[in-house]
Amino acid sequence: MEVKTSTQDGVTLVVPVGRVDSSTAKAFEDEVMKAANGNTKMAIQFDKVDYISSAGLRVILMAGKKLTAAKGELVLINMPDKIFSVFKVSGFDKIIKICPNFEEYKQSFN
Amino acid sequence: MLIEIENNIEEIDRACDLTRAFCLQHKISDEKCHDITLIVDEIMTNIIKYAYSDKQSHTFSLLMEKNDIHIAICFLDDGTEFDPLAAKTPDISSTCIEDRPIGGLGIFIVRQLAEDVKYSRVGNLNRLDIVVNV
């Protein structure tokens, strides 16, 4: 797994590529928590994620908590159905904003 | 299929690859293959992280069989006696991220995705039987 991070239109965009499981969760955590600094808006893009386990969900939850506490925001975008189903059974769809894509997310605050 | 797995986190990728190959061979749908791989990942992770308190190398087993209606997954490990089904279920009803506790999700996801999960202690072994309808 690798993680690409960039800034687009004032939003920190994080793009993990590959499998987010317990063998890669530490690297994912390091990148995501580094990006989740301050009152930033952060989007994590999921279309290049093959697979996410609870080890990856834990990192998403930690980032969401950190950003919410700092008056920032976490949004999950471009989520394939199989990935969404894992978020749904875990109840994460109720606590973290999910948008179809980056454009629609931008429109929500423009 | 029988896989012998070492208690090393690097083994997860190998076991998940073998699980996917098993699903492909048995013409399991992509969606179910994803669920089965996730189940295998979550249980393996628990065993590797928590079953052995010494720093020694250990091996545990994963058996997988398919019949007409389901896949039976069985984990056998000789680690510390532990019934994962006795673990407290995380409260997922929260709609506020601040209130949501971190952790306890792995076994919860397994129970959501599987048709049936049973734990038994057999001699010095932990046995976890999981049934997934396909």
Side-chain angles (χ1 to χ4, degrees):
Chain A
M1 190 217 47
E2 58 173 317
V3 182
K4 294 170 184 161
T5 307
S6 61
T7 304
Q8 284 185 32
D9 303 309
V11 178
T12 305
L13 179 64
V14 176
V15 186
V17 181
R19 267 145 64 168
V20 187
D21 59 24
S22 42
S23 68
T24 60
K26 184 68 181 74
F28 183 57
E29 179 179 338
D30 289 348
E31 289 295 325
V32 168
M33 295 313 278
K34 196 168 69 185
N37 261 323
N39 61 346
T40 189
K41 287 186 165 67
M42 186 166 108
I44 306 180
Q45 186 182 317
F46 278 90
D47 55 344
K48 294 185 176 65
V49 174
D50 302 322
Y51 171 86
I52 188 162
S53 76
S54 64
L57 294 185
R58 181 179 160 276
V59 177
I60 305 279
L61 183 58
M62 281 165 48
K65 281 177 181 280
K66 186 178 176 185
L67 288 163
T68 305
K71 310 281 180 226
E73 185 176 51
L74 175 65
V75 61
L76 312 176
I77 58 170
N78 296 74
M79 197 175 266
D81 287 348
K82 64 185 178 186
I83 302 284
F84 178 71
S85 72
V86 183
F87 279 81
K88 195 169 166 59
V89 296
S90 310
F92 274 36
D93 57 326
K94 289 183 291 197
I95 52 173
I96 299 172
K97 188 169 176 172
I98 298 174
C99 272
N101 55 53
F102 194 72
E103 287 306 311
E104 287 199 28
Y105 173 52
K106 273 199 315 180
Q107 281 164 17
S108 75
F109 58 84
N110 277 346
Chain B
M1 176 174 76
L2 168 65
I3 315 175
E4 297 290 339
I5 304 166
E6 268 185 57
N7 61 329
N8 172 348
I9 212 86
E10 306 294 322
E11 285 277 81
I12 290 177
D13 278 359
R14 182 179 71 93
C16 286
D17 284 344
L18 290 168
T19 301
R20 272 185 278 267
F22 177 87
C23 290
L24 202 64
Q25 182 197 339
H26 290 279
K27 301 188 167 53
I28 308 294
S29 72
D30 269 3
E31 195 182 83
K32 281 290 170 187
C33 173
H34 177 269
D35 290 355
I36 292 163
T37 309
L38 185 54
I39 287 168
V40 167
D41 176 314
E42 298 291 356
I43 300 300
M44 272 184 77
T45 300
N46 276 350
I47 295 173
I48 292 169
K49 282 188 151 174
Y50 306 117
Y52 302 101
S53 52
D54 59 20
K55 300 261 186 283
Q56 306 297 310
S57 175
H58 297 271
T59 304
F60 59 95
S61 307
L62 161 61
L63 287 108
M64 225 181 278
E65 277 175 11
K66 182 183 177 296
N67 68 21
D68 289 346
I69 51 168
H70 65 243
I71 285 199
I73 303 164
C74 175
F75 280 93
L76 285 165
D77 73 78
D78 62 351
T80 309
E81 181 169 1
F82 177 66
D83 176 3
L85 304 179
K88 199 167 159 249
T89 304
D91 179 9
I92 68 153
S93 64
S94 172
T95 53
C96 181
I97 192 162
E98 289 97 329
D99 300 338
R100 182 68 197 257
I102 294 172
L105 265 180
I107 189 68
F108 176 78
I109 291 174
V110 170
R111 296 180 85 160
Q112 296 299 306
L113 298 179
E115 190 63 26
D116 190 37
V117 187
K118 276 198 188 79
Y119 170 81
S120 53
R121 183 75 180 169
V122 187
N124 68 333
L125 298 175
N126 292 305
R127 177 177 177 147
L128 196 66
D129 285 288
I130 303 162
V131 174
V132 182
N133 286 353
V134 292

